């Protein structure tokens, strides 16, 4: 019985491989590898997350996203340059310290000078002191959210889009291209699976910031750090 199922899986994989070969031949190498593949993988993830939401299986969404945002792309793309995998200990430690001080400063302003305040029906600010539980959330956001999301959107997706579109725009001395904007659009849309609340649409702007950091430092490490602090900061100030 096991071998029968295994044979069926191999036959299915063979058919899928033939379909992809036909698509690749039709589109050409550049379009297939640097445009079709990242969008196709994103589409599969989006549809999968949407199905989990509809059928009430959201508790496994984190594992599902990890598979599509980290595991599969790591097998497909082997170029560290495209993925933005560049670790510079001195730079990354300094950026960690900068991110900590930046968000600590924002928190202090909100805590001591603003206090609890509701902005329409969008969000309610209610700054609080961090506790030991927040350290756990820092690790969860780092490993379960920031690393896979930055690996996929600012690494795999933005890196491959850059290979296709190039980077002809200059902003603050940093070279940018259409991939910079496209990854942020896809980043925002994937968050709409959770809800259509206006805050989800605003995710587009942090996506631009993370994408800019990726291009400025040619690495996804700084955006991973900043992304993690951003998420922890939100749970410290939002009710």
């Amino acid at each position: 019985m096991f071998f029968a199922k295994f044979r069926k899986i191999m036959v299915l994989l063979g058919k899928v491989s033939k379909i992809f070969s036909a698509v690749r031949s039709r589109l050409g190498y550049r379009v297939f590898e640097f445009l079709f593949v990242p969008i196709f993988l994103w589409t599969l993830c989006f549809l999968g997350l949407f199905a989990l939401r509809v059928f009430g299986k959201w508790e496994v969404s984190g594992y599902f996203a990890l598979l599509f945002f980290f595991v599969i792309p790591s097998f497909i793309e082997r170029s560290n340059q495209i993925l933005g995998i560049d670790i510079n200990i001195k730079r990354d430690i300094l950026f960690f310290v900068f991110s900590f001080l930046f968000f600590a400063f924002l928190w202090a302003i909100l805590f001591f000078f603003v206090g609890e305040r509701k902005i329409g029906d969008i969000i309610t600010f209610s700054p609080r002191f961090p506790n030991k539980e927040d350290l756990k959330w820092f690790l969860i956001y780092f490993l379960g959210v920031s690393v896979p999301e930055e690996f996929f959107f600012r690494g795999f997706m933005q890196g491959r889009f850059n290979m296709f579109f190039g980077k002809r725009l200059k902003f603050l001395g940093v070279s940018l291209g259409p991939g910079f904007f496209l990854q942020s659009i896809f980043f925002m849309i994937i968050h709409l699976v959770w809800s259509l609340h206006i805050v989800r649409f605003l995710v587009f702007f942090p996506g631009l910031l993370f994408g800019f950091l990726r291009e400025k430092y040619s690495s996804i490490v700084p955006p991973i750090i900043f992304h993690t602090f951003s998420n922890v900061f939100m749970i410290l100030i939002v009710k």
Side-chain angles (χ1 to χ4, degrees):
M1 188 172 180
F2 169 79
F3 290 105
K5 289 184 178 180
F6 180 76
R7 195 179 302 113
K8 288 181 180 179
I9 293 174
M10 294 305 295
V11 170
L12 178 61
L13 290 176
K15 291 180 179 179
V16 171
S17 178
K18 288 181 179 179
I19 293 173
F20 271 90
S21 296
V23 173
R24 181 175 181 174
S25 177
R26 184 89 173 183
L27 296 177
Y29 176 81
R30 285 188 73 255
V31 176
F32 180 83
E33 289 291 335
F34 301 131
L35 197 61
F36 175 81
V37 170
I39 293 177
F40 179 76
L41 189 58
W42 177 91
T43 302
L44 287 181
C45 185
F46 179 86
L47 293 175
L49 290 173
F50 182 77
L52 292 176
R53 188 73 169 173
V54 170
F55 294 108
K57 299 295 183 179
W58 195 247
E59 65 275 7
V60 299
S61 63
Y63 301 105
F64 187 85
L66 185 64
L67 175 66
F68 280 88
F69 288 165
F70 187 78
V71 178
I72 295 178
S74 66
F75 281 103
I76 296 175
E77 182 56 71
R78 299 301 180 90
S79 170
N80 287 344
Q81 184 178 3
I82 291 177
L83 291 172
I85 299 178
D86 175 56
I87 299 175
N88 182 309
I89 302 297
K90 181 180 178 180
R91 177 203 66 200
D92 297 337
I93 290 176
L94 288 174
F95 195 83
F96 183 93
V97 173
F98 164 78
S99 300
F100 173 81
L101 294 175
F102 175 78
F103 284 105
F105 176 72
L106 290 182
W107 174 85
I109 291 176
L110 290 172
F111 186 86
F112 293 106
F113 299 103
V114 178
E116 185 165 324
R117 180 170 299 183
K118 188 172 184 180
I119 301 179
D121 295 325
I122 299 177
I123 196 169
T124 299
F125 288 113
S126 182
R128 63 174 177 81
F129 276 105
N131 54 46
K132 291 181 180 179
E133 190 75 6
D134 295 319
L135 178 59
K136 179 190 76 174
W137 282 110
F138 185 91
L139 295 174
I140 291 174
Y141 280 129
F142 174 73
L143 295 173
V145 178
S146 300
V147 169
E149 286 189 357
E150 294 306 314
F151 187 88
F152 183 77
F153 288 99
R154 262 62 68 178
F156 183 75
M157 194 166 242
Q158 187 169 333
R160 287 209 163 198
F161 285 164
N162 285 342
M163 294 295 293
F164 183 77
F165 293 106
K167 299 186 290 183
R168 299 180 181 179
L169 175 68
K170 280 275 189 179
F171 180 71
L172 298 178
V174 178
S175 297
L176 305 172
F180 164 70
F181 299 99
L182 287 174
Q183 62 80 19
S184 194
I185 292 173
F186 284 109
F187 183 60
M188 175 196 70
I189 295 174
I190 205 79
H191 282 79
L192 299 181
V193 176
W194 280 261
S195 75
L196 294 176
H197 194 281
I198 189 173
V199 172
R200 298 296 179 183
F201 287 92
L202 296 177
V203 167
F204 173 77
F205 298 102
L208 290 180
L209 175 58
F210 302 148
F212 180 82
L213 291 174
R214 183 255 194 268
E215 298 297 355
K216 179 175 176 59
Y217 295 102
S218 299
S219 172
I220 60 172
V221 177
I224 285 174
I225 295 170
F226 206 79
H227 192 162
T228 304
F229 274 107
S230 298
N231 286 338
V232 174
F233 175 72
M234 290 304 294
I235 68 171
L236 289 177
I237 67 166
V238 175
K239 195 174 221 179

